[in-house]
Structure formats: structure tokens, C-alpha cells
Amino acid sequence: MTLPLLPFMAVMAAVVVASNFLVQFPVGYTLGTLNLADLLTWGAFTYPVAFLVTDLANRRFGPSTARMVVLCGFIVAVALSVWLATPRIAVASGSAFLAAQLLDVSIFDRLRNRTWWLPPLASTVIGSSLDTLIFFSLAFSQFAGAIGPGDAFASEAAPLLGLFAMEAPRWVSWALGDLIVKLLVGLAMLAPYGALMPVVTPQGRA
């Protein structure tokens, strides 16, 4: 069982490494008056691929084995976060990854016999939403201050998404921008999922 899992684990580890690296680089583009560099890093575009890897492993091997792939990604994510980030960010990153990916596994498994696109889409949308909520609230909100020192800049009030008169802590705009990208990329991941379905067949079937 372990040998067939290696490609999934390797890709999951690569996605986590790439996302942790690319999160250092803001997206240097503007949309009208919206400066994307204030909201997004390139890591937001690569991280949703982790859900694709989890879903393909789940389709091929089932939920128990898919959780092993998630565990591999979790170990890599925590190791990189501890090395590259503060303890608070490491806790937020690891907690968000593990909770979101395990929820993805459960939702996909419940829906696996439905229309082909529903399991990966529903599990990715719900998992991505949970990931964003856990990470940004633990990493930057004041109520999670017990985990570690906060980020004063992230907590400062600013126009929501840099566009609206209503103000909110900057991390709320970061979370919304991050979630929008995750959902768009998650939707785009239906194309490679559909293309790989004939190759990644459920184990025991032709």
C-alpha cells in the first residue's frame, strides 16, 4: 500500500513546500483601484492543489489511505512553518491544514457516488473555507493572542478589501481575498480531476 501512495505523498509535499515558499511574495498586480499585493500572495494559488491531491488519493484508495497523504502534508507543513515562521503562525498553519484536509476527506467520501464533479467541488469549497477561517483567526485575531504575540499591522482597521467604506482589521480582508482565490482555483481544479479520473480509478476496479 505504501509504494502506490508515494506519488501522492510526493506531490502533496511539493505543494506544501511551494506554497510555504510562494507565500513570501505578494501578487504585484492591480484590478482597477484594488491593489492585489495588499491582499494576496502567490501561495494562495498553489495551496488549493493540495485538495486535488487529497481527492485523487481518496478516489483511488479510500478515506483511510487519503488521511495518510494528509498526514504527510501536515508533517511537512508544520516542519516548514516552525522553521520559517513564528510559533503562532506554525500553530495556525498546521491546525488549518489538518482540519481542512481531514474534513475534505470525509465530505468527499460521503459524496463519492454522486455526480463526478460534486465530491471534489463540495469537499474543496468547504475545506478551503474552514482552512481560511482557522488560519487567519488563529494567526491574526486578537482572541487567539494566547498562542503568541499578535501582529499590530494585521489588527489595524482599514477599508474592507481596500475598496469599501466599511472598515475591518486588515487580516479580515486578507482572509476574504485568500478565500476568493482558493475557491476560484478549486473550481479550476475540476478540469485536472476530470482528466485524471480514467487513470486514478478506485482500487479493485478496472
Side-chain angles (χ1 to χ4, degrees):
M1 180 66 73
T2 302
L3 188 58
L5 270 184
L6 288 180
F8 294 92
M9 291 180 170
V11 174
M12 177 65 84
V15 169
V16 171
V17 170
S19 299
N20 275 270
F21 175 72
L22 292 172
V23 76
Q24 304 172 75
F25 304 103
V27 177
Y29 295 95
T30 58
L31 291 176
T33 59
L34 178 62
N35 185 2
L36 295 179
D38 292 337
L39 298 174
L40 295 171
T41 70
W42 289 108
F45 292 85
T46 56
Y47 176 75
V49 180
F51 290 99
L52 172 64
V53 178
T54 300
D55 291 343
L56 289 172
N58 203 343
R59 171 178 165 78
R60 173 62 173 159
F61 300 108
S64 297
T65 306
R67 292 185 187 102
M68 294 175 60
V69 176
V70 169
L71 181 60
C72 172
F74 172 73
I75 292 170
V76 174
V78 170
L80 287 173
S81 295
V82 169
W83 179 38
L84 298 172
T86 65
R88 179 168 176 173
I89 295 296
V91 169
S93 178
S95 300
F97 180 90
L98 189 61
Q101 293 291 330
L102 291 179
L103 180 61
D104 178 279
V105 170
S106 296
I107 293 172
F108 184 99
D109 188 51
R110 283 178 175 270
L111 300 175
R112 69 168 59 248
N113 294 321
R114 303 290 185 88
T115 305
W116 74 268
W117 54 264
L118 185 59
L121 181 61
S123 60
T124 297
V125 166
I126 297 172
S128 294
S129 300
L130 181 64
D131 180 89
T132 299
L133 175 64
I134 292 177
F135 175 76
F136 283 93
S137 60
L138 289 183
F140 301 115
S141 69
Q142 293 183 346
F143 84 82
I147 302 174
D151 184 326
F153 181 76
S155 298
E156 288 179 358
L160 188 65
L161 293 173
L163 297 173
F164 303 102
M166 182 177 70
E167 292 193 340
R170 283 192 174 91
W171 69 265
V172 174
S173 293
W174 299 346
L176 289 174
D178 182 82
L179 179 59
I180 290 169
V181 170
K182 284 177 181 173
L183 296 181
L184 291 175
V185 175
L187 183 61
M189 288 298 100
L190 288 178
Y193 179 87
L196 290 169
M197 282 181 66
V199 179
V200 186
T201 56
Q203 196 172 49
R205 300 181 187 178

